[in-house]
Amino acid sequence: FTPLEFLSGKITEGVKDASIWSVNRAFLLEQSKDKRKMLSQMMAINYVSIAFGSLIAGFLIAWIFYPNTLIFCLLISILLIPVSFLLQETYEKRLEVRSFLALLDLRRREESFKRFLLLFLLTGLAYGFIGLPTGGYILPIFLLENGFDSKTIGVLISLHMLLTGLSIPFFAEM
């Protein structure tokens, strides 16, 4: 309802995304023999899930109204907490500040790492301005200003996520 509440939501969304990609992806890559295929499948499933989740949320908002949809999403999130504890490793690893800061030191990194970092930085900036894939506000405002209603905008963004998810395995093979 307020910009501060929106900001709090975006911060928790960022923590969620960082947790999923840094922990789950690393673990699955360790376990997988065909790393490229596994990573492309994980990304495809993520985008397709975002697409269907957006469509379902849109229908729920129209059917049971916005506050009730948020309560429904909160209940699903609470149910996911026990499931996530089933995935944890059996050992404990301490986070050392020095080793964490060493990861951020770009002077010790290879040139290829720096090039990919620049690529991801530029891609992140582009997604940040447009707001996709996490449902930003510039593209929806653009579509709204050009005569699209909120339902159509939601469907178009969901279709974008769906097509992205379905095309990832195809391009990964290339």
Side-chain angles (χ1 to χ4, degrees), residues 18-143:
S19 301
I20 287 173
W21 286 106
S22 65
V23 177
N24 294 355
R25 180 175 53 185
F27 179 78
L28 289 174
L29 283 172
E30 276 181 9
Q31 307 300 319
S32 177
K33 291 179 182 164
D34 188 356
K35 295 177 186 338
R36 184 185 344 189
K37 184 176 182 181
M38 188 284 309
L39 187 58
S40 66
Q41 288 174 343
M42 183 179 173
M43 291 176 69
I45 289 169
N46 184 45
Y47 279 100
V48 170
S49 299
I50 289 172
F52 284 116
S54 299
L55 284 173
I56 291 168
F59 285 116
L60 287 175
I61 288 170
W63 186 42
I64 61 174
F65 303 112
Y66 186 70
N68 295 338
T69 301
L70 289 178
I71 292 170
F72 179 73
C73 291
L74 177 68
L75 293 174
I76 290 174
S77 298
I78 290 171
L79 292 174
L80 291 175
I81 292 171
V83 174
S84 67
F85 283 115
L86 296 174
L87 301 175
Q88 83 183 24
E89 291 285 330
T90 56
Y91 65 90
E92 252 184 65
K93 187 174 182 180
R94 288 182 48 199
L95 175 67
E96 295 182 17
V97 175
R98 286 186 185 196
S99 64
F100 176 71
L101 292 176
L103 291 172
L104 300 176
D105 187 4
L106 296 179
R107 296 173 294 175
R108 299 179 183 178
R109 297 294 185 166
E110 302 166 353
E111 283 300 313
S112 61
F113 178 85
K114 292 176 185 176
R115 287 186 193 128
F116 274 100
L117 185 64
L118 179 62
L119 176 67
F120 282 118
L121 175 71
L122 294 174
T123 304
L125 287 174
Y127 275 137
F129 286 124
I130 296 172
L132 297 173
T134 58
Y137 59 92
I138 291 179
L139 182 62
I141 289 174
F142 171 78
L143 293 172

Side-chain angles (χ1 to χ4, degrees), residues 1-14 66-67 70:
F1 296 106
T2 68
L4 188 58
E5 289 172 336
F6 179 78
L7 178 63
S8 300
K10 291 308 272 183
I11 289 170
T12 57
E13 181 181 13
Y66 186 70
L70 289 178

